[in-house]
């Protein structure tokens, strides 16, 4: 299956991708996640800042867990039905956003080996260009 984003970026082996800069990070993250999951890869999309709660079009499931071990326990079940999951530590109803994981927690999740790819929105432009 041809994958335009994967081919354009030259991505051939699993890893962690951090997206930074103003404009387009969220759209790129979910577009890339869709392509990777469509190719049969297990994918986590997350943030180290705050991210609007993903829609069902962006991610089939969003998990909330306060720690990496709690998230890993939840994701084992979710990965039985979905190749792509999104995650954060908590939902903040006043903003409609999900609070992200600390960088160390993302590293812990990566080393658990459950995901082929982890896509991280690594900074927040606060909707500014």
């Amino acid at each position: 299956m041809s994958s335009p984003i994967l081919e354009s970026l030259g991505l051939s082996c699993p890893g962690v991708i951090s997206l930074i800069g103003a404009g387009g990070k969220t759209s790129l993250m979910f577009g890339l996640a869709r392509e990777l999951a469509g190719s049969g890869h297990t994918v986590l999309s997350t943030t180290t800042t705050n991210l609007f709660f993903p829609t069902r079009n962006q991610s089939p499931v969003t998990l909330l867990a306060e720690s990496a071990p709690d998230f890993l326990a939840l994701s084992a079940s979710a990965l039985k039905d979905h190749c792509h999951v999104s995650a954060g530590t908590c939902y903040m109803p006043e903003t409609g956003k999900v609070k992200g994981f600390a960088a160390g927690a993302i590293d812990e999740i990566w080393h658990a080996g459950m995901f082929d790819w982890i896509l991280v929105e690594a900074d927040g432009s606060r909707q500014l260009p």
Side-chain angles (χ1 to χ4, degrees):
M1 171 186 222
S2 178
S3 177
I5 297 176
L6 295 178
E7 289 174 10
S8 295
L9 296 176
L11 301 175
S12 59
C13 59
V16 177
I17 298 174
S18 296
L19 304 167
I20 60 170
K25 293 181 302 294
T26 302
S27 295
L28 176 60
M29 179 174 70
F30 288 120
L32 183 54
R34 196 170 16 264
E35 285 194 19
L36 289 165
S39 297
H41 295 281
T42 53
V43 182
L44 166 63
S45 53
T46 190
T47 183
T48 56
T49 59
N50 301 321
L51 177 73
F52 280 107
F53 195 94
T55 67
R56 297 282 291 165
N57 290 335
Q58 292 172 317
S59 180
V61 64
T62 300
L63 304 174
L64 301 174
E66 290 186 18
S67 69
D70 290 345
F71 166 72
L72 291 167
L74 288 173
S75 60
S77 176
L79 287 173
K80 292 177 185 175
D81 297 319
H82 307 282
C83 289
H84 173 214
V85 300
S86 294
T89 58
C90 67
Y91 176 67
M92 301 177 295
E94 65 279 3
T95 62
K97 293 185 177 186
V98 172
K99 182 179 171 118
F101 291 105
I106 293 171
D107 190 51
E108 187 176 344
I109 293 165
W110 171 249
H111 288 291
M114 292 181 76
F115 294 93
D116 298 324
W117 292 94
I118 298 179
L119 310 177
V120 183
E121 187 172 299
D123 73 345
S125 63
R126 298 181 192 239
Q127 296 184 304
L128 298 173

